[in-house]
Amino acid sequence: MHSQVVIIGSGPAGLTAALYAARASLEPLVVRGLQPGGLIATTSEVENYPGFVDGIGGYELAENIEKQAARFGAQYKDALITKVDVSQRPFVLTTDTDETITADTLIISTGASPRHLGVPGEEQLANRGVSYCATCDGFFFRGKKVVVVGGGNSALDEGLFLTRYVDEMIVIHRRDSLRADPVLQERAFANPKVRFIWDSTVAEITGDEKVSGVVVKNLKTGETQDLAVDGVFPYIGHIPNSGLFKDILDLDENGYIVTDGRTRTKVPGIFAAGDVVDHIYRQAITAAGEGCQAAMEATWFLAEQEHLAKKQAAAPAEEVVSPALGQW
Ligand code: NAP
């Protein structure tokens, strides 16, 4: 399988890259990865993506961009990339089923994954009361009591979504003020189902077959209390999904792929966009914007390569220099 543009990841960055590359007649191939639609597809309601007056469901938004790109010829493949060889062009990618895909250019839009609390009980009780997706799992907590950990937009957005189902939603935050946007804070403070435990963290998640409680530790006093709850939703940020590229590209100290401000990585022909790069804005709209940029850069790169190849063919004796691996 070969494509001029292979896009790894199918969140707003990857799907927008697919739309632009498809409209440039490059027939991009999107390798969807573990989470088709990316993190946005697990978000209940997106209220700040321009163009949707009443907001739009995260899954629906991703599905719409996917269909829009497919209309212009984007192809999709449900697979995980497990190996990338960039020592030659075309680049060679290997999937989890040992298939080989070759690519003239690569757009990395692998996004980020929810950060785990790293406390006892979290891994053992995952999917048994511990969830990182309120949209997916909220329904299972009808009439229950849950905690949401974190004070950012995700914690409040997803926590407020949970109040559709639960009797009580307790936000446990390590400080005494929230990071979330004021509009979400106002909604949370006004919601009778929402309670806050400030200056505290979850030190342990307890339960045998399923979650039965958490141990809450006050970070100022050091005191702990047992809280009986049925569910725990950690929303404490994300970790970029860049592991596949750690020996290939430059990553910063937190694992984000380093680009030159134009989505170009240090390897010519490899571009990166969205949450795997962006540790500042992390919005669906900024990811989509970067996906657009990456597709345009890939298009220009391919045109430049074609131009150089033609020049080489026309004047074989003349030395024509094309960007070498590792330099632009
Ligand atoms: P975030 O903004 O980084 O917030 C993470 C929260 O978790 C912070 O309150 C942080 O506390 C807390 N935290 C971090 N590490 C912790 C730990 N080890 N233990 C306990 N608490 C910890 O992440 P996010 O909420 O997932 O949002 C990510 C991005 O998506 C943001 O740019 C956000 O604006 C965007 N987003 C937007 C919307 C929306 O616009 N509606 C919805 C969801 C997400 P501190 O505050 O003390 O640092």
Side-chain angles (χ1 to χ4, degrees):
M1 196 179 284
H2 176 81
S3 178
Q4 290 185 86
V5 183
V6 172
I7 297 163
I8 313 180
S10 54
L15 294 176
T16 307
L19 172 63
Y20 274 75
R23 291 196 78 249
S25 302
L26 295 173
E27 295 176 351
L29 173 70
V30 181
V31 183
R32 279 203 185 95
L34 267 185
Q35 175 79 68
L39 277 181
I40 199 77
T42 69
T43 304
S44 50
E45 200 67 21
V46 182
E47 291 184 331
N48 51 9
Y49 199 92
F52 299 95
V53 179
D54 299 318
I56 182 169
Y59 182 83
E60 195 187 350
L61 176 63
E63 196 179 44
N64 282 355
I65 312 174
E66 184 176 309
K67 284 184 186 160
Q68 194 179 356
R71 189 153 78 84
F72 297 103
Q75 305 282 324
Y76 298 93
K77 183 171 179 61
D78 282 319
L80 265 185
I81 299 298
T82 53
K83 210 170 112 197
V84 179
D85 179 0
V86 303
S87 60
Q88 58 194 317
R89 274 201 295 262
F91 307 125
V92 183
L93 315 179
T94 308
T95 72
D96 50 344
T97 52
D98 267 344
E99 279 181 88
T100 297
I101 300 170
T102 53
D104 294 327
T105 62
L106 197 58
I107 296 177
I108 303 165
S109 47
T110 44
S113 297
R115 186 191 301 281
H116 290 197
L117 292 163
V119 299
E122 184 178 25
E123 302 306 326
Q124 299 88 306
L125 294 166
N127 300 319
R128 290 189 282 150
V130 176
S131 168
Y132 304 88
C133 181
T135 315
C136 324
D137 299 332
F139 187 74
F140 300 114
F141 293 87
R142 272 171 304 164
K144 310 266 187 200
K145 181 171 165 179
V146 299
V147 297
V148 165
V149 189
N153 278 330
S154 297
L156 290 204
D157 222 6
E158 302 305 310
L160 285 166
F161 176 79
L162 284 172
T163 60
R164 295 182 192 190
Y165 304 105
V166 302
D167 279 353
E168 188 177 15
M169 193 273 284
I170 303 164
V171 178
I172 299 178
H173 182 38
R174 64 182 178 183
R175 293 186 294 125
D176 63 1
S177 62
L178 298 166
R179 178 184 292 278
D181 292 345
V183 62
L184 291 173
Q185 295 196 30
E186 277 165 28
R187 278 183 214 164
F189 291 137
N191 190 315
K193 288 187 178 177
V194 180
R195 177 157 77 89
F196 290 86
I197 300 181
W198 302 107
D199 300 314
S200 299
T201 190
V202 166
E204 186 179 346
I205 302 171
T206 53
D208 294 327
E209 290 304 305
K210 54 190 175 108
V211 169
S212 59
V214 288
V215 178
V216 183
K217 182 175 182 187
N218 185 302
L219 296 171
K220 284 195 168 152
T221 63
E223 283 171 17
T224 59
Q225 60 163 310
D226 293 328
L227 199 63
V229 294
D230 308 290
V232 181
F233 289 80
Y235 280 110
I236 59 165
H238 297 93
I239 296 172
N241 298 323
S242 58
L244 199 55
F245 303 97
K246 70 177 177 357
D247 299 323
I248 299 173
L249 303 176
D250 288 340
L251 307 185
D252 73 11
E253 66 278 11
N254 294 314
Y256 290 89
I257 294 176
V258 175
T259 60
D260 65 351
R262 284 179 54 176
T263 75
R264 302 183 298 193
T265 69
K266 76 168 187 184
V267 178
I270 301 187
F271 309 87
D275 282 3
V276 73
V277 176
D278 173 18
H279 58 99
I280 301 172
Y281 304 106
R282 296 177 294 178
Q283 304 295 303
I285 185 64
T286 50
E290 280 185 18
C292 157
Q293 287 178 289
M296 291 177 75
E297 291 289 349
T299 307
W300 294 331
F301 177 84
L302 288 166
E304 176 70 9
Q305 293 292 301
E306 197 182 324
H307 172 72
L308 288 169
K310 277 188 187 150
K311 217 165 148 188
Q312 191 119 47
E318 191 186 315
E319 196 189 341
V320 181
V321 182
S322 70
L325 289 172
Q327 68 171 70
W328 276 96

